[in-house]
Amino acid sequence: MKITELLTKDTILLDLKGNQKPEAIDQLVNTLYQAGKITNQADFKAAIVKREEQSTTGIGDGIAIPHAKVKAVKKAAIAFGKSEGGVDYQSLDGQPAHLFFMIAAPEGANNTHLEALARLSGLLINKEVREQLMAARSADDVITVFDKYDHEEVEQQDVSAKQNLIVAVTGCPTGIAHTYMAADSLKAKAAEMGIPIKVETNGSGGAKNVLTTEEIENAVAVIIAADINVQMDRFKGKHVIQAAVADGIRKPEQLIHRAVKQDAPIYQGSSEQGESGKEKETRTGFYKHLMNGVSNMLPFVVGGGILIAISFMFGYNSAKPGDPSYNPIAAALMTIGGGNAFALIVPVLAGFIAMSIADRPGFAPGMVGGMLAASGGAGFLGGLIAGFLAGYIVNLLKRTFANLPRSLEGIKAVLLFPLLGIALTGFIMHFVVNQPVALLNKAIASWLTGLGTGNAILLGIILGLMMAFDMGGPVNKAAYVFGTGLLASGVYQPMAAIMAAGMVPPLGIAIATTLFKNKFSKEDRDAGKACYVMGLSFITEGAIPFAAADPLRVIPSIMIGSAVSGALSMAFGIGLRAPHGGIFVVPLVQGGVLQYALAILIGSIVTALLLGFLKKPVK
């Protein structure tokens, strides 16, 4: 689709009146309404103003690109306005705006529309285009300018093997204009400087020109010019420059110079990853998709679980109407935490697994599959199956419809993928997956509930070893997910053992740095003080720096201490309904607060004594 199919003569206004931002917005909104492009002026204007509140769309060089993507837009369109005298638009360079492009995109805007809007954004970087638009005296002149410069974008060539390669990611909240302007600005400046660059755009149509593992590995630095969250874990170990999307438009040369000089810190990854230094390899495949689901699910688990635990402080039956201990606050906490936050755990897990596999088209089928798993008794395990099932079904659909005529391209994301993806995932979950997995869940819960003391202790030892083995890595996460998955089945003992074991590594190290000062440097002793806080807060990752510096002594010591703590927790029959919180939720355990605290303390002391014995004195 050409830009002039969206920018038509009836949406061109060459004599904007007034010199204030609200006046310009009102006139452009009215132009779109009079042309029949939007159905509700008030709703569309509200969306435009909301976008301006996030950050000004006055990008400098006399240009402003107010834009919105809402239901009030009947048909994707662009309104062009020109002000000879200039408008005070609070632009990034502080100068008046003369050229205005108000972009109206419907919520179901297809890829064809979005590509045209992206090209518009890129054209405005060109100084010649801006000069000719300022010189335009009629709507025909404006159309002629765009017909002259509007060409289909050529796919960026492979640059992975080039020297001094820079990779970049751009993105803005609406993913319509600034995303592509920043990308084009960076590419143009890099070409002028003779520096190879690959830019990934995170627009409203999904990620385009996605960076490969090889390109990231070979890059000297990474530029993130975005006002949205982008997938960052893939850049672990690289010099990463983080800037606003506006800086990508206005300061490309400065960002590229910094990248070439590697003038930026090395990205260490999010704290949730629990690994220090550069990853040996980029996580891909099953693990990457699983962790995408788990990381997005955990806030619901933690927030909902702690609210449930607080509800129990009023009494275990205090949320039940008619019970003598009934309390309306406890009932509200249970409704919020258990009835709603916990109810979303499995759908969110499945939705984000599917999204990791198939990008945005996979999200809806994954969520629906997860809801079916939750309502059908398949629970956490069913949610895992639903997520992977939905993701790969949508990928299959993408390949199936890859050769549709270009004119039908837009219906895939808004009709074919959600309709067929939800239907196929739903049928398989409903008729094939739910019943056997529900029976398996009941069997596992029954087995865990009926564990004898010896078997329970063995389970506690295994969970403890897993929690300490990689301190936040995949093995640790596997144990944690196992415990949180059992909470919904009413099995609470494994979660208690997991939290106790996860607190031991940093606490044991902290105690060791206090008791055996001659075995640690001053820097280590100072870091040990922070480990007290992290251990008490159930942040196992606090042990990582010590384990990385001396793995042969530290890792066995913390694993043994965690195994002791997990075994004692299971032996004491401690149950915990809150999946996070550390010392702050210890008073909420079932089976004895003192015994649980004792299990954590004994495990920590075992770790500390082993470290004191194994480590050599510091010279």
Side-chain angles (χ1 to χ4, degrees), residues 556-567:
S557 299
I558 61 177
M559 286 180 68
I560 292 171
S562 291
V564 169
S565 183

Side-chain angles (χ1 to χ4, degrees), residues 288-298 345 348-353 356:
K288 182 192 77 170
H289 304 319
L290 175 61
M291 284 300 103
N292 190 60
V294 170
S295 63
N296 284 287
M297 173 199 78
L298 286 182
I345 289 174
V348 167
L349 171 74
F352 280 96
I353 288 175
S356 177

Side-chain angles (χ1 to χ4, degrees), residues 474-528:
V475 177
N476 171 286
K477 285 289 191 292
Y480 182 75
V481 167
F482 172 75
T484 55
L486 290 172
L487 291 179
S489 301
V491 180
Y492 310 119
Q493 287 79 12
M495 190 68 245
I498 287 165
M499 187 175 296
M503 294 169 70
V504 163
L507 282 176
I509 289 170
I511 294 170
T513 60
T514 302
L515 296 180
F516 306 103
K517 296 182 186 295
N518 64 322
K519 301 292 182 80
F520 297 91
S521 66
K522 185 178 184 304
E523 291 78 10
D524 285 341
R525 294 197 300 272
D526 290 339

Side-chain angles (χ1 to χ4, degrees), residues 262-505:
Q262 295 187 320
D263 179 19
I266 293 176
Y267 182 67
Q268 299 295 336
S270 60
S271 60
E272 291 83 0
Q273 294 302 308
E275 299 178 34
S276 64
K278 184 178 177 181
E279 285 184 321
K280 293 182 180 178
E281 58 180 324
T282 303
R283 300 294 186 187
T284 57
F286 178 88
Y287 177 79
K288 182 192 77 170
H289 304 319
L290 175 61
M291 284 300 103
N292 190 60
V294 170
S295 63
N296 284 287
M297 173 199 78
L298 286 182
F300 295 87
V301 175
V302 174
I306 293 177
L307 288 174
I308 292 171
I310 294 172
S311 172
F312 289 132
M313 294 177 69
F314 295 89
Y316 283 113
N317 295 314
S318 59
K320 297 179 180 179
D323 190 90
S325 65
Y326 173 75
N327 184 291
I329 300 299
L333 290 168
M334 181 62 72
T335 299
I336 296 166
N340 291 275
F342 254 45
L344 288 169
I345 289 174
V346 174
V348 167
L349 171 74
F352 280 96
I353 288 175
M355 187 174 179
S356 177
I357 296 169
D359 208 347
R360 293 184 187 183
F363 186 68
M367 283 286 288
V368 174
M371 284 291 291
L372 285 165
S375 61
F380 186 83
L381 181 57
L384 290 177
I385 295 171
F388 285 99
L389 179 66
Y392 289 119
I393 282 176
V394 172
N395 273 349
L396 179 62
L397 292 172
K398 287 181 177 180
R399 288 193 290 271
T400 302
F401 296 116
N403 296 320
L404 277 180
R406 187 173 180 83
S407 60
L408 299 177
E409 185 75 18
I411 71 169
K412 291 195 293 188
V414 298
L415 176 62
L416 296 180
F417 294 155
L419 173 62
L420 297 178
I422 290 172
L424 292 173
T425 303
F427 272 110
I428 295 173
M429 289 300 298
H430 184 72
F431 289 108
V432 179
V433 176
N434 275 359
Q435 188 171 354
V437 175
L439 292 173
L440 178 61
N441 279 338
K442 289 180 181 178
I444 293 173
S446 177
W447 174 70
L448 288 170
T449 304
L451 276 178
T453 303
N455 289 333
I457 291 173
L458 177 60
L459 179 61
I461 290 172
I462 293 171
L463 292 173
L465 292 172
M466 292 176 70
M467 287 300 292
F469 175 70
D470 55 358
M471 298 153 285
V475 177
N476 171 286
K477 285 289 191 292
Y480 182 75
V481 167
F482 172 75
T484 55
L486 290 172
L487 291 179
S489 301
V491 180
Y492 310 119
Q493 287 79 12
M495 190 68 245
I498 287 165
M499 187 175 296
M503 294 169 70
V504 163

